[in-house]
Amino acid sequence: MSNRITHVRMSAETDSAEHIVRVKGTNSNGNWENSVPEVVSYLKTGNYSFYVHAANRSINVTHQKSAAGNEYIKTEPDNTKRDNLLSLPRF
């Protein structure tokens, strides 16, 4: 199932870098909201895909693992250096 991410919630941490903790969006079943670990889990199954709409095109969301072993989501590279998820409205 293809899921469009439309909004992100950022962490409230002050002692480390701010990061995405939740996302929400739409799909053929309506609106949804998930934590980043849930999205990573869905991506790993291969049954779900996530994307953002930017610059009049769809950009896929992937999952990565930081050097510290934390899993997170980001968009595939495109013509901008900034992760397209960070340009989405906050909720």
Side-chain angles (χ1 to χ4, degrees):
M1 176 177 288
S2 184
N3 298 280
R4 179 179 177 183
I5 297 175
T6 59
H7 293 79
V8 297
R9 177 173 292 155
M10 304 302 288
S11 65
E13 295 179 20
T14 57
D15 59 342
S16 66
E18 187 178 47
H19 59 276
I20 299 169
V21 294
R22 294 190 71 76
V23 293
K24 65 180 178 179
T26 62
N27 61 28
S28 60
N29 293 327
N31 298 325
W32 54 267
E33 181 179 332
N34 292 109
S35 69
V36 168
E38 288 170 323
V39 172
V40 168
S41 178
Y42 292 143
L43 287 167
K44 285 180 174 181
T45 69
N47 295 327
Y48 297 88
S49 62
F50 294 84
Y51 69 96
V52 298
H53 192 77
N56 294 320
R57 53 184 273 235
S58 297
I59 301 151
N60 290 326
V61 173
T62 64
H63 63 92
Q64 304 289 314
K65 189 178 278 195
S66 71
N70 300 316
E71 292 185 301
Y72 63 95
I73 57 174
K74 64 179 256 176
T75 53
E76 291 180 341
D78 63 352
N79 59 356
T80 179
K81 294 196 185 280
R82 184 174 167 97
D83 187 334
N84 293 293
L85 287 167
L86 300 176
S87 298
L88 295 175
R90 307 296 197 255
F91 73 98

